[in-house]
Amino acid sequence: MFETHFLGVPDINGLIFACLSLASFGGAFIAVVMGVGGGVFLLAVMAMFFPPAILIPLQGIVTLGTGASLIALMWRHLLWATLLPFGCGAIIGAALGAKIFIVLPTTVLQGLIGGFILFLTWLPKISSQGSESKRFALLGGISTFLGMFVGATGVLVAPFVASASPSRQNHTVTLTTLMSISYVIRIVAFGLLGVSLSEYIPLIVVMIVTAAIGNWIGGRTLSLIPEKMFRRGFQIVLTLLALRLLWVAATGSPL
């Protein structure tokens, strides 16, 4: 880690600043085009430069800002009925997670998430059982609880959103909105735990701007992709991300 303060950001030089900005663009583009994976991609890049106590809330704020620009572009496709139950569940999940933050082994949680994602991705009927409100309330609680420890949990939420979404546009903006709700609640929880990111504001602003550009380009690309190709690509991306999580959990290697 370089002991520099580019634009006042601790331990960041100009090259790393540019790398993180490009990663934010790439993560946003991937999230829009593939429907999932952008948050994990960004988390993986940021993990090379930040300790976990800074990494998870910082990635959350950047992803939240990224989501805001995408929601503004695609809000007409949002599945509104999923928001309230997911938000209620997320509040409970964050409250429980904050109580045991940095206590549970991250590798165990990553392994559970990876296995669960594989199960839901290739048995999609499971993710459509029960009433929609109950499914999304439970999902909000579980994903936000786990997100307190492992960061990006969009891959866990994505199969449920896919089951409820008539089109890829519904899927993309609804998943982004639900994860934005989760990130807001988690950021509040981290704030109550005493985490401060004021020195990182210049980096956060630039990463949100580059992500907005990625959203715009990704949105234009999304409309050109056939629905069947999108759905198959979505399954492949989820599978690869799940296998990666299982590998990290099994080997104990860094993100």
Side-chain angles (χ1 to χ4, degrees), residues 208-231:
I208 289 175
V209 170
T210 57
I213 298 171
N215 280 336
W216 183 76
I217 295 176
R220 294 178 69 85
T221 305
L222 178 64
S223 62
L224 303 176
I225 300 175
E227 187 77 29
K228 255 179 135 177
M229 184 184 297
F230 173 83
R231 293 284 179 174

Side-chain angles (χ1 to χ4, degrees), residues 7 21 27 70 87 110 144 146 186 218 225 248:
L7 297 182
S21 300
L70 177 62
Q110 288 170 329
T144 304
L146 294 176
R186 275 186 260 168
I225 300 175
V248 170

Side-chain angles (χ1 to χ4, degrees), residues 118-162:
L118 283 177
F119 186 68
L120 292 176
T121 299
W122 297 104
L123 293 173
K125 291 182 180 179
I126 300 281
S127 59
S128 59
Q129 296 299 309
S131 70
E132 185 173 275
S133 60
K134 290 180 180 177
R135 284 202 311 273
F136 279 93
L138 181 62
L139 187 62
I142 293 173
S143 63
T144 304
F145 173 81
L146 294 176
M148 295 293 293
F149 310 98
V150 297
T153 54
V155 288
L156 176 62
V157 179
F160 291 88
V161 178

Side-chain angles (χ1 to χ4, degrees), residues 15-31:
L15 181 60
I16 295 175
F17 195 100
C19 175
L20 291 169
S21 300
L22 287 174
S24 184
F25 168 87
F29 181 84
I30 291 170

